[in-house]
Amino acid sequence: MITLHAGKRKVHASVKDEQLIEKRRSEMIKGAVHLFKQKGFHRTTTREIAKAAGFSIGTLYEYIRTKEDVLYLVCDSIYDQVKDRLQRIDLEAGTLESLKLGIGYYFKVVDDMQDEVLVMYQEAKSLSKDALPYVLKKEMDMVGMFERLIRRCVENGELEMEERKIHMLAQDIFVQGQMWGFRRWALQKEFSIDDYIDLQTDLLFSGINGYKAKQ
């Protein structure tokens, strides 16, 4: 796996109450996601973000310093929620059921956070050189969780797969989850999120078990 050496970026706040900081930043993220999706990061002002969040521009600057801080918080929030849900399953179980459960949890996070995922992929390029590596590392950490699930299945005899294919399957799962957000305008006309999870899981496992490479 690629290792990106990047620590968590500290977002300055002049307020000391951690619960209040979390509450206000959550409100900011919701307002900003709607604006970034509608207008893009560069055309959105901090004053508009404050208004969408329901407080003044002065209050906004008690919890962040720059508009980029808000985008960073959006990206960070997505990966924290994915990690939180994946950690609810037994990563060491080594069963196909645990792998399927992990895929389902991840796809449902993307469903819950469709707008945030879309904004992150459209606007992450606007992050600074110190913030972007951290966000990319968190993405690789998510892929790594799927690699761990798959590898335990291999070690447990549930799957037969070489290391490079483990890595590729983990990447496939990650991207297919994101696809539900990117292609929802088309997919949701025919499939519910549960349909999508079932079909994608069936396709993934059919490929694992049924495909034989040409010699």
Side-chain angles (χ1 to χ4, degrees), residues 69-147:
D69 285 344
V70 183
L71 179 57
Y72 174 81
L73 291 170
V74 170
C75 296
D76 204 35
S77 172
I78 293 168
Y79 289 124
D80 281 347
Q81 292 194 47
V82 172
K83 185 176 181 180
D84 177 65
R85 293 206 200 180
L86 286 181
Q87 286 180 333
R88 297 177 195 178
I89 65 174
D90 185 357
L91 295 173
E92 301 300 325
T95 64
L96 295 183
E97 191 56 39
S98 67
L99 178 55
K100 289 179 181 179
L101 194 60
I103 292 169
Y105 276 179
Y106 167 55
F107 284 14
K108 286 198 172 182
V109 175
V110 175
D111 183 51
D112 291 344
M113 304 184 74
Q114 291 177 36
D115 288 343
E116 287 92 336
V117 169
L118 191 62
V119 163
M120 184 188 68
Y121 273 88
Q122 286 176 336
E123 304 296 347
K125 62 183 180 294
S126 300
L127 289 168
S128 65
K129 290 181 180 179
D130 68 312
L132 184 58
Y134 171 74
V135 170
L136 294 177
K137 183 182 182 300
K138 291 198 84 166
E139 180 170 308
M140 294 304 295
D141 287 345
M142 297 301 102
V143 174
M145 293 181 83
F146 284 111
E147 287 184 335

Side-chain angles (χ1 to χ4, degrees), residues 154-197:
V154 172
E155 292 168 354
N156 206 32
E158 295 275 312
L159 294 173
E160 188 175 333
M161 188 176 294
E162 62 187 49
E163 187 64 29
R164 62 199 298 266
K165 288 185 179 180
I166 291 173
H167 180 64
M168 185 57 70
L169 178 58
Q171 295 281 2
D172 285 346
I173 292 168
F174 192 81
V175 172
Q176 284 176 5
Q178 307 298 344
M179 191 175 85
W180 178 250
F182 300 151
R183 300 285 298 172
R184 61 182 172 175
W185 60 271
L187 293 168
Q188 288 178 344
K189 293 175 183 176
E190 298 184 54
F191 309 110
S192 68
I193 181 59
D194 290 321
D195 292 333
Y196 184 77
I197 290 169

Side-chain angles (χ1 to χ4, degrees), residues 42-56:
H42 292 292
R43 291 177 59 200
T44 298
T45 66
T46 50
R47 191 171 297 278
E48 288 171 327
I49 293 171
K51 184 177 179 181
F55 40 78
S56 70

